């Protein structure tokens, strides 16, 4: 693939108000107009380059949105106070009461809860399907379906969506294909595969320092204009607006994303191979044993690797908890939810980030009790990290001494 997302970010040249190398931060909630007529035109959406009120847009938020649109290769983008803010606004913008959604069943727990428990209050129903089985996706589509929803690499099972084929399916049935690309920024460019709307939680890899929440919707100018419409736009009216100070700091972190993703992927690949070599049940898209390894390879922008997320199954929740506590104790990472941090983070999704999913459904989708999800950090010496992790596993009899 010839799409070069990091070059697109690199090539953005923004000057600050006083010639600063970073764009100036717009520290205002409201903006003056020199003429009353321009204020009226701005409300009507007809005055380009004029700012109205910071829930609508701010210069800092537009800079960040423009950079993320460049990364994903979409016309434009709108940033939000959180990933859930972005997801909720896309779904409620497209769907009205009586509409239907077909969604992957392995998605972020908050998204799952929103579709299963919240949008149902507005008579928007969702069918959850195995996104890797195109036939079951297609057979769930009805005349009321508006959205086909999935994650490019799913949380926490790391299933990979065949976005080019899903895009053809969406086109055939006149649906919007909405993809959450939080787990694979730079590695996968969904819009280049035909996806209509690309969402990120900026909280994770893109910001990368676990100091803020944020979200973005990358899409066509027409859809983003709809989201921001003062009369019926979900972004404008639901109000999950990002603060300009945060937009400025996330934009600075975005500038180093390509280097961080390469290191996250390199370290995760190293550990995944070693864990699998020890006989641990390991899931990582970079392993040949992963059911969608070839698909990921065919879609990826190669130099960014297979991402920083991997899972192992240590048999039971008790073992998983013991191991995570010991690894934290040995300073190998934090027992914490979230991902994309410079230190390794680990959690047991069944009892935390995916606990919104009922236990029988967890079992059906292969989300076992002993599953540990790792977001691998930027460790300079990953071999040292591995040796220490192995020692923890031996100590707790997760590994037999002989195999180790
Ligand atoms: C964290 C996450 C979200 C939600 O984002 P917030 O910034 O926490 O609101 C959505 N999707 C995925 C895949 C996530 O990991």
């Amino acid at each position: 693939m010839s799409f070069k997302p990091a070059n697109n970010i690199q090539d953005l040249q923004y000057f600050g108000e006083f010639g600063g190398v970073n764009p100036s931060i717009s520290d205002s909630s409201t903006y003056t107009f020199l003429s009353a007529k321009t204020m009226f035109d701005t409300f009507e959406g007809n005055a380009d380059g004029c700012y109205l009120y910071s829930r609508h847009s701010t210069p800092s938020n537009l800079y960040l949105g423009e950079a993320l649109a460049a990364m994903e290769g979409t016309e434009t983008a709108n940033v939000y106070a959180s990933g859930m803010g972005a997801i909720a606004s896309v779904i409620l913008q497209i769907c009205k009461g009586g509409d239907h959604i077909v969604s992957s069943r392995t998605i972020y727990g908050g998204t799952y809860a929103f579709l299963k428990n919240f949008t149902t209050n507005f008579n928007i129903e969702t069918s959850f399907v195995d996104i890797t089985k195109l036939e079951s996706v297609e057979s769930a589509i009805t005349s009321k379906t508006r959205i086909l929803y999935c994650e490019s690499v799913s949380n926490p099972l790391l299933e990979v969506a065949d976005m080019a084929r899903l895009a053809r399916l969406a086109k055939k049935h006149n649906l919007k294909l909405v993809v959450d690309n939080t787990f694979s920024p730079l590695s996968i460019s969904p819009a280049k595969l035909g996806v209509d709307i690309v969402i990120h939680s900026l909280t994770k890899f893109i910001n990368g320092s676990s100091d803020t929440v944020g979200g973005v919707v990358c899409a066509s100018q027409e859809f983003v204009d709809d989201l921001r419409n003062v009369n019926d736009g979900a972004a404008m009216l639901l109000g999950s607006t990002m603060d300009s100070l945060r937009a400025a700091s996330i934009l600075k972190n975005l500038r180093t994303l390509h280097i961080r993703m390469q290191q996250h992927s390199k370290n995760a690949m190293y550990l995944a191979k070693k864990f699998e070599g020890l006989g641990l049940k390991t899931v990582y898209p970079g392993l040949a044993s992963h059911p969608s390894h070839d698909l990921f390879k065919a879609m990826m922008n190669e130099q960014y690797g297979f991402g920083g997320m991997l899972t192992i199954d240590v048999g039971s929740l008790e073992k998983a908890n013991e191991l995570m506590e010991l690894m934290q104790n040995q300073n190998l990472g934090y027992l914490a939810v979230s991902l994309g941090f410079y230190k390794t983070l680990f959690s047991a999704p069944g009892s935390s980030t995916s606990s919104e999913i009922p236990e029988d459904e967890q079992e059906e989708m292969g989300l076992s009790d002993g599953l540990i999800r790792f977001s691998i950090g930027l460790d300079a010496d990953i071999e040292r990290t591995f040796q220490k992790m192995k020692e923890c596993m031996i100590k707790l009899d997760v590994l037999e001494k002989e195999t180790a």
Side-chain angles (χ1 to χ4, degrees):
M1 207 191 267
S2 59
F3 185 66
K4 298 268 193 286
N7 287 4
N8 294 353
I9 297 171
Q10 175 78 31
D11 289 347
L12 293 166
Q13 187 185 45
Y14 296 146
F15 291 103
E17 195 180 0
F18 303 101
V21 294
N22 289 304
S24 303
I25 299 170
S26 56
D27 195 21
S28 296
S29 60
T30 189
Y31 299 82
T32 58
F33 290 87
L34 293 181
S35 86
K37 164 89 170 64
T38 321
M39 182 185 274
F40 174 75
D41 289 345
T42 305
F43 264 96
E44 297 286 294
N46 298 328
D48 260 7
C50 285
Y51 296 96
L52 182 66
Y53 181 63
S54 287
R55 175 154 44 77
H56 182 259
S57 66
T58 77
S60 299
N61 290 8
L62 291 191
Y63 280 130
L64 176 60
E66 193 184 338
L68 291 162
M71 179 183 86
E72 289 296 0
T74 59
E75 280 177 10
T76 189
N78 192 53
V79 297
Y80 291 81
S82 74
M84 279 313 298
I87 292 165
S89 111
V90 165
I91 287 165
L92 295 177
Q93 187 69 39
I94 298 173
C95 291
K96 312 280 170 274
D99 287 347
H100 175 250
I101 297 168
V102 174
S103 169
S104 167
R105 63 185 187 180
T106 62
I107 49 173
Y108 177 69
T111 312
Y112 180 85
F114 184 69
L115 294 175
K116 178 134 179 149
N117 309 326
F118 195 95
T119 50
T120 44
N121 295 329
F122 302 96
N123 197 21
I124 297 166
E125 299 294 329
T126 301
S127 301
F128 295 95
V129 298
D130 181 343
I131 202 73
T132 63
K133 297 212 166 62
L134 266 284
E135 324 78 69
S136 54
V137 176
E138 184 156 29
S139 62
I141 296 170
T142 74
S143 61
K144 299 200 158 121
T145 310
R146 297 284 170 267
I147 293 178
L148 186 50
Y149 186 93
C150 67
E151 295 173 1
S152 42
V153 180
S154 81
N155 178 33
L157 295 174
L158 311 180
E159 287 177 351
V160 181
D162 188 341
M163 284 171 268
R165 290 179 67 197
L166 290 168
R168 281 198 291 277
L169 197 61
K171 213 175 198 111
K172 180 175 155 194
H173 295 275
N174 200 22
L175 316 176
K176 290 268 186 246
L177 177 56
V178 180
V179 172
D180 180 338
N181 196 31
T182 300
F183 275 34
S184 45
L186 298 181
S187 293
I188 295 180
S189 303
K192 297 291 126 191
L193 300 165
V195 170
D196 299 300
I197 297 165
V198 184
I199 299 177
H200 283 276
S201 166
L202 303 175
T203 314
K204 316 298 169 53
F205 290 103
I206 290 178
N207 185 56
S209 47
S210 291
D211 54 2
T212 185
V213 287
V216 70
V217 173
C218 301
S220 67
Q221 186 70 52
E222 186 187 0
F223 186 67
V224 170
D225 286 346
D226 287 350
L227 289 169
R228 288 195 194 126
N229 190 300
V230 294
N231 294 307
D232 60 5
M236 184 64 183
L237 300 177
L238 295 176
S240 86
T241 308
M242 178 176 280
D243 183 74
S244 288
L245 287 168
R246 277 307 184 188
S249 76
I250 295 170
L251 178 58
K252 283 176 275 187
N253 287 0
L254 177 67
R255 295 288 193 173
T256 58
L257 179 64
H258 59 299
I259 303 171
R260 291 185 282 113
M261 284 317 295
Q262 287 171 8
Q263 187 72 8
H264 283 299
S265 291
K266 186 172 146 228
N267 285 351
M269 186 67 150
Y270 181 92
L271 289 178
K273 280 187 175 156
K274 290 286 188 186
F275 289 160
E276 189 171 59
L278 290 174
L280 289 164
K281 210 167 137 200
T282 309
V283 175
Y284 182 64
L287 294 174
S289 60
H290 190 285
S292 303
H293 175 66
D294 291 333
L295 172 62
F296 195 119
K297 241 172 125 168
M299 294 193 296
M300 78 196 290
N301 302 312
E302 209 169 320
Q303 63 269 45
Y304 306 107
F306 294 90
M309 304 302 294
L310 66 86
T311 69
I312 60 171
D313 190 338
V314 297
S316 70
L317 181 60
E318 296 70 53
K319 267 288 171 247
N321 288 343
E322 273 182 76
L323 180 60
M324 291 190 294
E325 285 169 12
L326 183 59
M327 287 192 298
Q328 174 163 265
N329 204 266
Q330 298 298 311
N331 195 12
L332 295 170
Y334 293 113
L335 170 47
V337 300
S338 201
L339 46 130
F341 191 39
Y342 44 78
K343 295 263 274 188
T344 294
L345 302 176
F346 31 78
S347 57
S351 55
S352 62
T353 50
S354 296
S355 57
E356 295 92 340
I357 304 172
E359 267 171 47
D360 53 324
E361 288 178 41
Q362 289 193 20
E363 198 177 308
E364 199 192 311
M365 64 178 70
L367 211 169
S368 53
D369 268 359
L371 200 73
I372 302 179
R373 183 187 80 175
F374 286 81
S375 165
I376 305 301
L378 302 174
D379 308 31
D381 184 351
I382 196 65
E383 196 193 333
R384 183 182 73 142
T385 304
F386 169 68
Q387 290 303 337
K388 289 186 179 179
M389 284 182 174
K390 193 169 88 175
E391 281 164 29
C392 295
M393 290 173 187
I394 293 170
K395 189 160 180 201
L396 297 176
D397 294 322
V398 172
L399 288 175
E400 311 266 332
K401 268 208 181 59
E402 309 85 81
T403 56

